[in-house]
Amino acid sequence: MYCKDSRIFIENDDLCNTCENYIKELDCPLLGALIQGDVFLEDNLLVTRCGFYKEFKRNLYIVKGKKKDENSNFN
């Protein structure tokens, strides 16, 4: 994580990328404090152990249905 031109950038190695607070709810206390100016980030920060972390898991299911009729007008 780093700041540039008053903007916060999350890097691929940050724990935020799999956190429900960041991905789903957009309600991360750490990012909220940075945005409001309660805390300042002067250098790069690698977020690896955050006390607000909630793992976000995606659950994908394959739904089987009828095959599409090649002669139909469905797109």
Side-chain angles (χ1 to χ4, degrees):
M1 174 183 303
Y2 64 96
C3 288
K4 183 177 180 183
D5 299 326
S6 300
R7 293 171 49 183
I8 301 167
F9 294 89
I10 306 295
E11 297 184 276
N12 290 336
D13 294 335
D14 288 321
L15 193 63
C16 305
N17 289 315
T18 58
C19 181
E20 184 174 316
N21 288 324
Y22 175 64
I23 295 173
K24 188 176 178 184
E25 299 175 4
L26 296 173
D27 189 28
C28 173
L30 174 59
L31 293 175
L34 286 166
I35 291 167
Q36 292 176 19
D38 296 333
V39 295
F40 297 97
L41 184 60
E42 294 181 3
D43 201 3
N44 289 358
L45 169 69
L46 180 60
V47 181
T48 57
R49 289 184 291 167
C50 179
F52 308 112
Y53 180 77
K54 292 189 231 173
E55 185 176 8
F56 178 72
K57 290 185 180 181
R58 295 181 189 269
N59 296 312
L60 302 175
Y61 301 98
I62 297 175
V63 179
K64 294 184 179 183
K66 295 184 208 176
K67 284 189 176 182
K68 193 162 114 178
D69 183 5
E70 292 180 18
N71 295 326
S72 70
N73 292 329
F74 295 114
N75 292 334

